[in-house]
Amino acid sequence: MTEILTREQYRDAIAKPKRGNKFGAKTTVFDGITFDSKREAEIYRDLKLLERAGRLSGFQRQRKFELIVNGEIIGTYRADFAFIDHDQDGKFRVVDVKGVVTRDFKRVQKIIKAIYNIDVEVWK
């Protein structure tokens, strides 16, 4: 006897199983926003509390920076968080939440420093 599958059942049957994050991060939803990791969601919560308390301003998630070499855009980098820290005399801070700092990320940090003179901080 031949079994008949619906289109959805067939697609589910042949679909490759979804792999988890290679660094073990668990996707987390907080305030209706999906974060790449539980730690990133925790930091977001803490930074929002500091913003409400007036200790930081200009808070942005997923701040985009263009990577420009010789006047040509060669790529983009999205920082997890960017804000002005009033506890450090109005310093503009860019933060990326990482469990593992890769060689590629170190390269991007150097490019951001060269182009924008900004140190991308890594929070674990």
Side-chain angles (χ1 to χ4, degrees):
M1 178 173 240
T2 305
E3 184 179 346
I4 298 176
L5 300 175
T6 65
R7 180 181 302 156
E8 289 77 23
Q9 289 171 329
Y10 174 74
R11 286 184 179 159
D12 290 343
I14 66 166
K16 294 180 181 174
K18 290 186 179 182
R19 288 181 25 192
N21 182 290
K22 70 178 171 181
F23 297 115
K26 303 276 190 255
T27 302
T28 305
V29 177
F30 179 78
D31 272 354
I33 303 169
T34 302
F35 294 92
D36 291 336
S37 69
K38 183 178 172 185
R39 181 69 181 137
E40 186 177 343
E42 291 170 353
I43 290 174
Y44 171 81
R45 181 198 64 212
D46 295 345
L47 290 175
K48 289 303 275 184
L49 287 172
L50 290 172
E51 182 181 39
R52 283 188 212 118
R55 294 177 58 192
L56 60 91
S57 62
F59 179 73
Q60 292 179 306
R61 268 191 72 248
Q62 300 297 308
R63 167 73 190 268
K64 181 179 173 181
F65 293 92
E66 293 179 337
L67 305 177
I68 303 167
V69 176
N70 295 329
E72 186 177 333
I73 298 172
I74 59 167
T76 57
Y77 162 68
R78 287 195 185 271
D80 290 334
F81 307 108
F83 56 90
I84 297 169
D85 190 344
H86 298 295
D87 291 343
Q88 292 189 6
D89 297 327
K91 179 182 177 187
F92 180 67
R93 296 177 68 184
V94 177
V95 175
D96 216 309
V97 180
K98 299 260 183 235
V100 176
V101 177
T102 63
R103 187 175 52 196
D104 288 339
F105 179 73
K106 287 180 184 178
R107 187 175 301 121
V108 169
Q109 273 183 308
K110 290 177 184 177
I111 294 170
I112 294 294
K113 177 69 174 177
I115 296 171
Y116 298 101
N117 196 27
I118 296 172
D119 292 313
V120 178
E121 301 173 36
V122 176
W123 291 3
K124 293 191 176 218

